[in-house]
C-alpha cells in the first residue's frame, strides 16, 4: 500500500561488482613476457604481497619492486619510463575506495540526493532523536487520519441489542478484543468487535440500569449501576460475579482505576468518591474508604499518571485535586484549598489575581472560620518547606462560549490520553445550548500560596446539536489524542484541532478557536448517547437511546 523501499534493483548492475583490473606493466623489448595481472583482491587496498596467478612456462619474470606490490587496485598504467625499465618515483597513494554495498551505492537513485540517501538521513535523525519522525505515532497518524476520514455511514455495522433499553456506555478491553455495552435494562452485552458477533449477555447484571464499565486489565472489568453497587467480573468466568461492592448511598455513575496501586475509584450522585483496595478483594467485597465528598457531583476522572483528580458538578464547577495521594482520606478542612476562579481563554489570560474573589453561593465547598485558619496554617507550612501540599484543591468555573452570564452544567468529562488537556460537554441551565470544549492544562509555580497552581485555558470549542435533553452524552478522545468523537443528534462527529488532525501541542491557538469537523456519521434512528474509539483498531462504536450499537470502520 505504501512504498517502503527507496528503489528497485531492476536492470541495474549487481551491487558489489568490481571493475575489471587495468592491464599490467609492459615488457621491455627483447625481454621475457610479463606475467598476467593477478586477480583483484577482495579488499580495496593490498597491504602485503599477493600471490600471482599461474604463469606459462618460460623464464622467471623480473622481481617486482615493493612499490609495485603495494599498487592500489585500479591505479593508472605505469609511465613510459617504467616501461623502459628506468626507475621512477612511486606513485602517490590514492584514497581508499569503499566496496559498493547493497544499501545505495550500487543501486539506481541511491546517491546522497536520491531516495535511498534521504531515507538513510531520516533514519539517522530518528536514531539521534531528531527530526519529525522521532515519535512512532507521528509516523502513522496521517494514515490513521486518512482511514478515519474515509469511513462512510454505509460502512456501519449494527449489533443486535434487541430490547435492552438505551445504551449508556461503551468500553473496549485494552487489547481491543471485546466490546462491552452498558444497557438501561440491567444488562451488560459483550461483542467481538472484529467479527461483530455477540459473545455473551449478562442478564440481570444489576438490579437497575448500568451506567459505566471499566476494564482493570484484559480480563477483569467493573460495572456500576443505579442500584448503588459496583460489580467485578472476569471474562474467563462470566456466569457469576467476582464480587459485589457496597458503599455508595445513591446512583454510582463512573469508575476509574489506578494501575500502579491497583485502587478502584468510584463516584456517585451521593457526592462521595470512594477508594476500593482490589489487592485485598474477597468474595464478600473489598476494603474501602471515603476519599472525598462534594455537592452536585456529576463525573470524576483521573489523569493518565494519576497525579490529578478532576471532578465536575452540575452547578458548573470543576474541582481539581493536585499532587494526588489516594492513600489519604480527605475530610473537610484537611486539605489546602486554592481560591475558586473562572478559567480564562487566551484573550483573558492576563487577568489579575484580584479577580479571584470569595466563593459564590452554591459552591461545592463550604468551610467555617476554623477551617479557614487550618487552610492558612497548611499553606504557610507548605510555603516554609518549599514544597507543594499533597491533595491541594482548586475550584474552577470553566468558561463556556455564550455562557458568560448564565450558569451551566458539566455533564461529561474526559481527559487527553497524554494528560495535556481536559474535554468537557457542557449544557446551559435552561437546556437551550450545548457545547464541547477543550481546556489545556496550564502548569506553573503559584504566585501566592492561595493562588491556583494549574489553571485551565480554553483552546477549542464547538456548539453541539441540542437534542435529547436531559440525557448525558459521553464523548471521547482517540487513542493518540488527535481526534474527538462526539455524539451529535442521530450520529457522531469526528472533530480535530485542525484539518490535518495535528497534535494539540502543535496547533495551540493564541485565542480560542472552533474545532474542525473531520467527518460526520449518521446511522442511528434515535439520539446517540455514547461513543468510543477502539484502542487497537481503526474502529469507532456508538450507542443510541433506542438501544442500537453501530460500528464504523473503513472498507478496503
Amino acid at each position: 500500500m505504501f512504498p517502503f523501499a527507496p528503489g528497485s534493483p531492476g536492470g541495474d548492475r549487481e551491487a558489489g561488482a568490481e571493475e575489471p583490473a587495468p592491464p599490467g606493466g609492459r615488457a621491455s623489448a627483447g625481454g621475457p613476457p610479463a606475467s598476467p595481472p593477478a586477480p583483484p583482491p577482495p579488499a580495496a587496498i593490498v597491504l602485503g604481497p599477493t600471490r600471482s596467478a599461474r604463469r606459462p612456462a618460460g623464464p622467471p619474470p623480473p622481481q617486482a619492486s615493493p612499490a609495485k606490490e603495494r599498487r592500489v587496485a585500479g591505479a593508472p598504467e605505469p609511465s613510459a619510463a617504467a616501461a623502459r625499465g628506468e626507475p621512477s618515483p612511486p606513485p602517490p597513494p590514492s584514497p581508499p575506495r569503499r566496496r559498493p554495498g547493497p544499501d545505495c551505492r550500487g543501486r539506481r537513485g541511491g546517491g546522497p540526493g536520491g531516495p535511498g540517501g534521504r531515507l538513510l538521513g531520516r533514519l539517522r535523525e530518528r536514531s539521534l532523536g531528531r527530526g519529525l519522525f522521532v515519535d512512532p505515532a507521528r509516523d502513522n497518524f496521517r494514515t490513521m487520519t486518512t482511514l478515519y476520514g474515509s469511513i462512510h455511514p454505509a460502512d456501519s455495522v449494527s449489533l443486535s441489542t434487541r430490547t435492552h433499553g438505551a445504551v449508556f456506555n461503551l468500553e473496549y478491553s485494552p487489547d481491543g478484543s471485546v466490546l462491552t455495552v452498558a444497557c438501561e435494562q440491567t444488562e451488560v452485552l459483550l461483542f467481538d468487535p472484529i467479527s461483530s458477533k455477540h459473545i455473551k449477555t449478562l442478564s440481570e447484571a444489576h438490579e437497575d440500569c448500568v451506567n459505566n464499565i471499566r476494564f482493570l486489565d484484559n480480563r477483569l472489568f467493573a460495572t456500576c449501576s443505579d442500584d448503588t453497587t459496583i460489580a467485578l467480573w472476569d471474562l474467563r468466568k462470566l456466569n457469576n460475579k467476582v464480587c459485589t461492592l457496597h458503599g455508595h448511598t445513591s446512583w454510582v455513575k463512573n469508575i476509574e482505576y489506578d494501575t500502579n496501586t491497583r485502587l478502584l475509584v468510584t463516584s456517585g450522585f451521593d457526592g462521595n468518591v470512594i477508594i476500593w483496595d482490589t489487592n485485598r478483594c474477597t468474595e464478600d467485597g473489598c476494603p474501602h474508604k471515603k476519599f472525598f465528598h462534594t455537592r452536585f457531583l456529576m463525573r470524576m476522572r483521573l489523569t493518565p499518571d494519576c497525579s490529578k483528580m478532576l471532578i465536575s458538578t452540575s452547578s458548573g464547577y470543576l474541582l481539581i485535586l493536585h499532587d494526588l495521594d489516594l492513600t489519604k482520606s480527605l475530610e473537610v478542612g484537611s486539605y489546602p484549598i486554592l481560591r475558586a476562579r473562572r478559567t480564562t481563554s487566551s484573550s483573558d489570560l492576563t487577568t489579575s489575581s484580584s479577580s479571584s474573589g470569595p466563593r459564590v453561593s452554591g459552591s461545592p465547598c463550604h468551610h467555617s472560620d476554623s477551617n479557614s485558619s487550618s487552610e492558612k496554617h497548611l499553606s504557610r507550612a507548605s510555603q516554609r518547606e518549599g514544597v507543594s501540599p499533597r491533595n491541594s484543591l482548586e475550584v474552577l468555573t470553566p468558561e463556556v462560549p455564550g455562557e458568560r452570564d448564565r450558569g451551566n452544567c458539566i455533564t461529561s468529562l474526559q481527559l487527553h490520553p497524554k494528560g495535556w488537556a481536559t474535554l468537557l460537554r457542557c449544557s446551559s441551565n435552561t437546556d437551550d445550548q450545548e457545547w464541547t470544549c477543550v481546556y489545556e492544562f496550564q502548569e506553573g509555580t503559584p504566585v501566592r500560596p492561595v493562588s491556583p497552581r494549574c489553571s485551565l485555558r480554553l483552546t477549542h470549542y464547538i456548539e453541539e446539536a441540542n437534542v435529547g435533553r436531559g440525557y448525558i452524552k459521553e464523548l471521547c478522545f482517540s487513542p493518540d489524542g488527535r481526534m474527538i468523537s462526539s455524539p451529535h443528534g442521530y450520529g457522531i462527529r469526528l472533530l480535530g484541532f485542525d484539518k490535518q488532525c495535528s497534535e494539540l501541542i502543535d496547533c495551540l491557538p493564541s485565542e480560542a478557536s472552533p474545532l474542525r469537523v473531520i467527518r460526520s456519521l449518521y446511522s442511528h434512528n434515535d439520539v446517540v448517547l455514547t461513543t468510543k474509539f477502539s484502542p487497537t483498531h481503526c474502529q469507532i462504536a456508538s450507542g443510541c437511546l433506542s438501544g442500537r450499537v453501530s460500528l464504523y470502520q473503513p472498507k478496503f
Side-chain angles (χ1 to χ4, degrees):
M1 183 175 179
F2 298 98
F4 292 102
S8 172
D12 297 335
R13 180 173 53 85
E14 182 183 0
E18 297 287 346
E19 300 289 342
R26 300 175 182 174
S28 57
S35 62
I45 300 177
V46 181
L47 300 179
T50 59
R51 293 184 179 180
S52 59
R54 180 175 296 178
R55 300 181 178 88
Q63 186 69 24
S65 63
K68 293 182 180 181
E69 292 179 356
R70 292 179 174 85
R71 180 175 298 163
V72 179
E77 293 186 5
S79 61
R84 290 192 302 268
E86 300 176 2
S88 60
S94 60
R97 292 194 306 170
R98 190 182 300 273
R99 177 189 293 269
D103 51 359
C104 61
R105 293 285 183 181
R107 298 185 185 270
R108 183 168 52 226
R118 289 195 297 269
L119 177 62
L120 291 177
R122 291 174 183 174
L123 294 176
R124 189 180 302 109
E125 288 183 353
R126 179 169 178 170
S127 65
L128 297 175
R130 303 171 184 170
L132 299 176
F133 301 91
V134 176
D135 187 1
R138 292 174 180 264
D139 289 352
N140 58 13
F141 85 91
R142 290 186 180 89
T143 303
M144 297 301 294
T145 302
T146 303
L147 291 176
Y148 281 120
S150 65
I151 295 177
H152 296 277
D155 298 341
S156 63
V157 178
S158 178
L159 303 182
S160 174
T161 57
R162 298 181 183 176
T163 57
H164 303 290
V167 175
F168 286 159
N169 185 244
L170 298 166
E171 184 71 14
Y172 284 88
S173 61
D175 58 3
S177 61
V178 177
L179 173 64
T180 55
V181 182
C183 299
E184 180 183 12
Q185 301 297 333
T186 74
E187 294 178 338
V188 175
L189 308 178
L190 291 89
F191 291 91
D192 181 353
I194 306 302
S195 63
S196 304
K197 293 182 179 179
H198 176 258
I199 299 176
K200 180 80 173 178
T201 296
L202 304 180
S203 57
E204 298 183 359
H206 288 273
E207 297 178 0
D208 207 334
C209 61
V210 185
N211 295 318
N212 190 244
I213 303 175
R214 176 76 181 198
F215 273 88
L216 313 188
D217 52 35
N218 285 325
R219 60 183 182 85
L220 289 174
F221 65 95
T223 60
C224 64
S225 168
D226 281 357
D227 64 3
T228 74
T229 66
I230 300 98
L232 294 182
W233 303 85
D234 193 331
L235 288 176
R236 301 169 299 180
K237 189 179 179 182
L238 291 172
N239 294 329
N240 297 298
K241 304 176 185 178
V242 175
C243 65
T244 301
L245 309 180
H246 300 269
H248 285 277
T249 58
S250 185
W251 301 347
V252 187
K253 287 300 181 182
N254 76 292
I255 307 171
E256 291 290 288
Y257 184 65
D258 184 356
T259 56
N260 298 322
T261 60
R262 297 187 63 187
L263 295 177
L264 199 69
V265 189
T266 60
S267 67
F269 278 2
D270 56 2
N272 291 327
V273 177
I274 297 181
I275 307 295
W276 310 83
D277 188 1
T278 60
N279 298 292
R280 296 184 289 168
C281 185
T282 63
E283 294 181 356
D284 299 329
C286 300
H288 68 279
K289 62 180 179 180
K290 186 171 72 173
F291 177 74
F292 187 79
H293 176 82
T294 185
R295 298 194 301 169
F296 316 119
L297 189 151
M298 285 292 293
R299 289 291 185 267
M300 175 272 307
R301 300 291 179 192
L302 298 178
T303 54
D305 59 357
C306 295
S307 63
K308 298 181 183 68
M309 176 186 289
L310 280 75
I311 300 173
S312 65
T313 67
S314 59
S315 57
Y317 285 95
L318 184 65
L319 283 62
I320 305 179
L321 283 167
H322 298 278
D323 299 320
L324 190 64
D325 186 0
L326 295 175
T327 61
K328 297 180 180 180
S329 296
L330 302 182
E331 301 296 339
V332 174
S334 66
Y335 48 87
I337 300 179
L338 306 176
R339 285 193 178 182
R341 69 189 293 258
R342 189 179 184 89
T343 58
T344 57
S345 61
S346 300
S347 58
D348 304 326
L349 201 58
T350 57
T351 304
S352 62
S353 60
S354 61
S355 61
S356 301
R359 298 177 186 86
V360 297
S361 60
S363 170
C365 301
H366 296 277
H367 297 277
S368 61
D369 296 337
S370 61
N371 294 333
S372 300
S373 61
S374 173
E375 172 190 339
K376 293 178 182 178
H377 174 72
L378 289 173
S379 298
R380 290 171 183 172
S382 61
Q383 189 179 18
R384 286 195 304 268
E385 295 174 0
V387 296
S388 300
R390 300 298 299 271
N391 294 328
S392 56
L393 177 66
E394 180 183 4
V395 184
L396 301 174
T397 307
E399 179 187 358
V400 179
E403 292 293 320
R404 293 180 180 271
D405 301 325
R406 293 185 295 172
N408 61 82
C409 175
I410 305 175
T411 58
S412 181
L413 170 65
Q414 297 291 338
L415 288 170
H416 191 279
K418 299 179 182 179
W420 295 341
T422 181
L423 178 65
L424 302 183
R425 185 75 172 252
C426 305
S427 62
S428 63
N429 289 338
T430 56
D431 278 342
D432 59 347
Q433 282 184 320
E434 199 169 14
W435 297 85
T436 291
C437 302
V438 178
Y439 299 86
E440 177 202 10
F441 283 112
Q442 296 287 299
E443 301 287 352
T445 306
V447 179
R448 299 183 301 168
V450 294
S451 64
R453 293 181 299 108
C454 169
S455 59
L456 296 178
R457 182 175 72 95
L458 176 64
T459 60
H460 298 83
Y461 63 90
I462 193 169
E463 188 171 4
E464 298 287 0
N466 189 28
V467 295
R469 298 183 181 182
Y471 285 95
I472 297 174
K473 288 89 174 180
E474 295 286 355
L475 64 176
C476 66
F477 278 105
S478 61
D480 58 3
R482 296 176 181 269
M483 284 192 291
I484 298 168
S485 181
S486 175
H488 187 260
Y490 288 6
I492 61 174
R493 290 195 299 185
L494 300 183
L495 308 173
F497 304 115
D498 60 10
K499 284 295 185 180
Q500 292 74 34
C501 293
S502 302
E503 290 271 19
L504 175 61
I505 58 173
D506 295 334
C507 58
L508 283 175
S510 57
E511 295 183 356
S513 61
L515 289 165
R516 307 294 183 180
V517 179
I518 306 300
R519 172 73 69 175
S520 297
L521 303 171
Y522 299 98
S523 63
H524 291 271
N525 56 4
D526 211 333
V527 178
V528 174
L529 301 181
T530 180
T531 178
K532 194 72 175 180
F533 281 93
S534 169
T536 56
H537 300 85
C538 184
Q539 186 182 80
I540 311 169
S542 62
C544 70
L545 190 59
S546 61
R548 178 182 178 182
V549 177
S550 294
L551 297 180
Y552 306 90
Q553 53 193 11
K555 286 187 176 180
F556 301 98

